[in-house]
Structure formats: C-alpha cells, structure tokens
Amino acid sequence: WSDDFHHALHTVLTGERDGYYQDFGALDQLDAAYTHGFAYRGEYSRFRGRRHGCASPPVRSDQLVTYAQNHDQVGNRAGAERLTSLVGPDRAQLAVAATLLSPNVPLLFMGEEYAETAPFPYFVDHGDPALLEAVRKGRAAEFGRDADQFDPGDEATFRRARLDRSRRETPEGAAMLELVRRLLELRRSVPLLHDAAADASGADLDDAVVILRRRRGAAQTALLLNLGDQPRDVALNPPGDWRDLLEGGPLPGGRVHLDP
C-alpha cells in the first residue's frame, strides 16, 4: 500500500493536517511518492518523532498499490466521508486521474468510479460484547466524539455504508464514470505510463502543478496535474512534438493550459 502517495495527495487536496497528515502537504512529497514510491526517505517525521524511511527503498513501481481512497482511510475518519464529499466532484476527478495515471498498480475504492458520496463508517459484528465495547471506546477516544455516533456494532451504521449505484445516472456520477473509462483505456494503450523499467522524474511548479515524466529510449510521457486553485500555462521542455493523449491533438510548442 502506497500510504505516502495517499497522504501527500489527500493533504494537498483537502488542506487537512491532523494526525499523521501533519507530515504531509507539500507538492514535492507527491513528486517523491510518484518517482521513488515513498515521500519519506529518511526525513524527520513530526508525527513519529523520528526519522522515517530509507534513501533507496528496494521496490519497483509495479510493486506498490496507489489509491486516493480505500477502506482504511475512509472508514477510520470520524465522519467517514468519501473524497467527493470533502473536495467536490472536480477535485475528485483530479484525484482519480492522479491515481489511474500513476506508475503503480491503481486501486479504486468501491463506488469511486462514479463519485459515490455515501459515507463508509467502520462497522463490525463481534460476537464478544467486551471486544465490541473496547472498539467503541477506542474509536470514541481517537476521534474525540461520543461513542454512539456511527456505533460500529449498530446495523444502521452498516446500512449507511451501502452504495447508491443510482448515482451513476446523475451528471456528476456519469462524468466520473466516463473519465475513469477514458483513463483506463489510456493506461492500456500507453504502457510507458506504468512501465516499471522506465526512467522517472518529478517536478513541481508555482506550488500548484506536479509534472511526472517517464522515459524509455526515445519515448517519453509527461503527466501534468494542476492541484492549485488558478489556471496555469506550462511549457514542456524540450518543446518537441507533444500530443495531448487524453483529449487528442497536438500541443504546439509543448504548451499546455491547465484549469484548476
């Protein structure tokens, strides 16, 4: 699990800095997660109170699972909110693109492909009443909330977590589903995007745009993500004969316009 990728992307999108998120929030950490697999490679972690990670983790890009949401990260939030509910549909689409066009093995959390908004609270069916009560007290203490909010042993909590697949027919759901299909097709048709043997390099511009380049021989790709709140114009170097693989068509002079 590439937790560093999730934490780096999540903090940039949401602005959250509590708990282990206090160690994240900088774009260069997302660069590092893309190019090295980990954001922390020996740097000091405030959350852990020590240095964390190693300079050269012995893993390939295809040995890591990349995600913007999963059962742990959603289920262990006090409000159990999915990303769409936190940042809105446009930023949720950006997160999906960042995930599906990563060099790692991408994971979509159930319903993410159509921008599901139902919460995913933690629920259990322990047979041991003492264990269930310990879970209730532990989560209440962790989140600083009353123990009866999203009671993990209540069937109503499980029912709140059920997917609403009719969202696929809404404008937001249909738009996300179409984007996911296009991104998956692009990933299949351009193997360089996830080629574990490719050379990778990352950069960030103006504290807003992340650029991930992948090269093998004469071929190269560039993934550009505008994580800021203003439009950006980026000139790729060398200018060359760049093409927009998602929308189609040439990019004269290697210039790209990125909406937020």
Side-chain angles (χ1 to χ4, degrees), residues 91-156:
R91 303 280 273 181
Q93 287 191 7
L94 180 60
V96 163
T99 301
L100 292 182
L101 298 182
S102 82
N104 310 127
V105 178
L107 176 144
L108 293 180
F109 184 51
M110 54 185 186
E112 185 177 358
E113 70 276 12
Y114 58 84
E116 177 66 65
T117 56
F120 187 75
Y122 178 82
F123 56 85
V124 293
D125 189 15
H126 286 314
D128 183 346
L131 178 57
L132 177 58
E133 187 59 25
V135 169
R136 286 176 174 143
K137 290 180 178 178
R139 291 179 65 80
E142 178 182 357
F143 297 132
R145 57 178 171 79
D146 294 334
D148 59 355
Q149 182 183 355
F150 282 139
D151 179 355
D154 189 335
E155 184 177 343

Side-chain angles (χ1 to χ4, degrees), residues 1-12 23-41 43 54-55 57 59-68 98-99 101-105 193 200-204 210-214 223 225 227:
W1 295 95
S2 185
D3 283 342
D4 277 12
F5 175 88
H6 169 271
H7 298 349
L9 180 62
H10 184 91
T11 51
V12 170
D23 282 341
F24 294 85
L27 280 188
D28 59 359
Q29 293 173 318
L30 185 57
D31 293 339
Y34 267 135
T35 56
H36 304 291
F38 298 90
Y40 275 80
R41 296 181 295 135
E43 294 84 358
C54 59
V59 294
R60 301 189 312 271
S61 60
D62 58 358
Q63 292 177 303
L64 290 170
V65 176
T66 291
Y67 59 94
T99 301
L101 298 182
S102 82
N104 310 127
V105 178
L193 290 170
S201 62
D204 55 271
V210 168
I211 303 175
L212 174 67
R213 293 175 180 267
R214 297 184 66 78
L223 170 64
L225 303 169
L227 295 155

Side-chain angles (χ1 to χ4, degrees), residues 3 167 173 178 181:
D3 283 342
R167 276 194 56 81
E178 176 60 23
R181 287 170 172 156

